[in-house]
Amino acid sequence: MSVSKRPASKSPASKASASKASASKTSAPRAAGGRSYRPETQLVHGGTTRSPFGETSEALFLTQGFVYETAEQCEARFKGDEAGFLYSRFSNPTVAMFEKRMAAFEGAEAARGTASGMAAVTAALVGQLKAGDHVVAAKALFGSCRWVVEDFLPRFGVASTLVNGTDLEQWRKAVRPNTRVFFLESPTNPTLEIIDIGAVAEMAHAAGAKLVVDNVFATPIWQSPLALGADCVVYSATKHIDGQGRCLGGVILASEKFIQDHIHMLLRQTGPSMSPFNAWVLLKGLETLHLRVRRQTDTAATVSVALAEHPKIVRQIYPGRPDHPQAAVARKQMRGGSTLVAFEVAGGKAGAFRFLNALELVRITNNLGDAKSLVTHPATTTHQRLTPEQRAELGIADGLVRFSAGLEHPDDVVGDLLTALEAV
Ligand SMILES: Cc1ncc(COP(=O)(O)O)c(C=O)c1O
């Protein structure tokens, strides 16, 4: 499975991107003799716009707005008659570089950066919906995503149905005449279930709905939901895209029409904008994304082997393993395993806490995709809002731990995990 198997990028040329062009020069990647560059090259050069100073690294345009030579020029910009930036709530050169680089790598026509992953998820859903509409979502969602679907949308007259995402029949049965959006993440947080994106997309389209996929756990390295049939992909860039625990960010990727119809005005007028500084950090993160994710995936696979027969491990879930419950779907739609492993430690919450407290190198936190190996106890953190019954239904046992592989030497990570298991 290799990243170079992903589909070639479509041209992001569009009215909106033209209107965001600046006086600076877009200089990379250059198409030499019609050559298109491979994904890894897009991660380093995609979307780069150089200022007249010709800087090597992307420039950080830390400005809230822009000045105009004349009132006539200002009017022309606002009318859309002249290309250029207007105001950093919705257009900034550094953020635009991040958006173009993400779009080039994902094979999307358009992208919009947001302040956080949750801003991206919320905008991708809210932007398509109005009172009277209905959403179907997989119930295995990150806690905040589930809150948006289950608690927040109904306040505005949008009904929602949560289904077991791995059971295609449940998606089909949940459809109503007013269903407008299907929403899922795969692999799911934290139990790493795999949902058949192509099959759900087909069902959504047959129902006249659009499919939004939160691709955070797969990363753009291992899975391309748009190529599988999804209409919109969202990321928390806070995770692997930064990958070094420095900042929050999010991104929405889709066709130019989807972005124009559902996202652009919502972000522009309501303002959950990506900071130019964060966009700059995330551009740097993208340059090394494929190296980090590959290394983290190798380490996660090594950890899953080390824990497989361990007497203190009750259950383990790793999408790269043949014993994963949806291994066949994982092989069909993912190009690699996962940087995460979920496992249940013997002794329930007390056993899990003894294990977490005995770790020295691997740190306890709720983030993932970082250079540092991290562990999370979902039942008391990301999914503590759910009732014990809801957690049990999702397989979030009190002993469940989510491990996110970092960039340390794999032997040190495995050693720390095995030593800590002795305390259980
Ligand atoms: C699957 C998933 N989606 C969305 C988010 C939200 O991202 P952020 O924390 O950047 O708002 C998270 C955060 O953990 C997540 O795990």
Side-chain angles (χ1 to χ4, degrees):
M1 294 199 261
S2 149
V3 72
S4 56
K5 282 189 195 159
R6 68 206 313 292
S9 307
K10 291 176 203 156
S11 164
S14 67
K15 195 175 160 213
S17 43
S19 75
K20 287 175 131 204
S22 75
S24 312
K25 199 170 120 213
T26 300
S27 53
R30 253 192 304 262
R35 236 183 325 146
S36 64
Y37 289 100
R38 291 173 181 76
E40 291 85 344
T41 309
Q42 296 283 7
L43 283 175
V44 180
H45 294 281
T48 300
T49 301
R50 290 207 164 83
S51 82
F53 296 113
E55 61 282 349
T56 309
S57 177
E58 296 74 5
L60 170 51
F61 290 94
L62 209 47
T63 178
Q64 111 293 336
F66 305 86
V67 293
Y68 311 95
E69 291 301 322
T70 61
E72 287 77 11
Q73 185 190 35
C74 183
E75 181 185 23
R77 286 269 180 99
F78 271 78
K79 280 170 80 177
D81 292 345
E82 179 185 297
F85 294 94
L86 293 169
Y87 191 56
S88 289
R89 179 169 5 95
F90 51 89
S91 62
N92 173 279
T94 311
V95 177
M97 281 191 261
F98 169 74
E99 292 169 341
K100 285 185 189 147
R101 188 168 296 178
M102 276 300 309
F105 187 66
E106 191 77 37
E109 286 177 9
R112 288 292 183 277
T114 55
S116 68
M118 282 320 302
V121 168
T122 307
L125 298 178
V126 169
Q128 299 185 69
L129 294 162
K130 61 178 185 331
D133 289 346
H134 174 241
V135 177
V136 187
K139 66 178 75 162
L141 290 176
F142 168 57
S144 301
C145 296
R146 185 159 166 165
W147 181 85
V148 169
V149 172
E150 208 176 14
D151 295 68
F152 182 65
L153 292 178
R155 285 190 206 170
F156 302 94
V158 176
S160 59
T161 306
L162 294 176
V163 298
N164 173 352
T166 62
D167 180 350
L168 295 176
E169 194 51 21
Q170 287 198 21
W171 289 95
R172 199 184 57 73
K173 282 193 182 143
V175 171
R176 300 180 191 169
N178 56 341
T179 303
R180 296 285 168 264
V181 176
F182 280 34
F183 177 50
L184 63 87
E185 56 187 54
S186 182
T188 61
N189 181 358
T191 47
L192 309 179
E193 282 177 354
I194 308 290
I195 300 176
D196 189 331
I197 294 173
V200 175
E202 237 174 68
M203 243 181 279
H205 297 155
K210 303 268 193 244
L211 173 62
V212 176
V213 174
D214 180 336
N215 207 36
V216 165
F217 272 48
T219 82
I221 303 296
W222 295 141
Q223 185 168 271
S224 305
L226 296 177
L228 295 166
D231 301 281
C232 175
V233 181
V234 289
Y235 289 100
S236 163
T238 317
K239 310 296 187 290
H240 304 82
I241 292 173
D242 170 27
Q244 286 151 87
R246 297 166 294 192
C247 69
L248 293 167
V251 59
I252 305 170
L253 299 121
S255 66
E256 187 62 51
K257 178 168 168 35
F258 185 101
I259 295 288
Q260 290 306 323
D261 287 354
H262 305 296
I263 307 298
H264 179 74
M265 284 309 262
L266 177 71
L267 296 182
R268 176 174 174 149
Q269 309 297 3
T270 65
S273 333
M274 174 173 277
S275 134
F277 181 78
N278 289 5
W280 182 82
V281 171
L282 295 166
L283 277 162
K284 297 285 112 189
L286 284 176
E287 290 181 349
T288 57
L289 180 69
H290 68 100
L291 297 173
R292 289 183 287 104
V293 168
R294 284 164 189 277
R295 171 62 184 251
Q296 289 165 328
T297 303
D298 288 348
T299 297
T302 304
V303 165
S304 87
V305 169
L307 300 186
E309 305 297 330
H310 197 286
K312 305 272 178 66
I313 300 293
V314 177
R315 180 171 73 111
Q316 191 204 147
I317 318 148
Y318 183 63
R321 287 176 65 84
D323 60 4
H324 186 284
Q326 295 90 33
V329 185
R331 272 196 304 277
K332 185 174 77 167
Q333 68 188 24
M334 296 183 73
R335 294 179 288 270
S338 171
T339 65
L340 295 120
V341 185
F343 50 87
E344 192 180 330
V345 176
K349 179 181 169 187
F353 274 30
R354 274 198 294 278
F355 166 69
L356 295 176
N357 292 335
L359 290 164
E360 284 185 1
L361 180 68
V362 179
R363 304 317 309 248
I364 305 167
T365 186
N366 50 310
N367 199 23
L368 59 99
D370 199 88
K372 296 177 173 64
S373 287
L374 305 171
V375 274
T376 303
H377 184 245
T380 53
T381 59
T382 50
H383 293 73
Q384 55 87 19
R385 198 184 60 82
L386 301 184
T387 64
E389 294 72 33
Q390 287 173 325
R391 282 197 294 274
E393 190 186 20
L394 296 173
I396 305 175
D398 286 348
L400 189 81
V401 170
R402 188 189 75 195
F403 166 79
S404 167
L407 298 175
E408 305 91 345
H409 194 289
D411 293 349
D412 288 334
V413 175
V414 169
D416 195 38
L417 295 171
L418 295 180
T419 306
L421 280 171
E422 287 170 18
V424 174

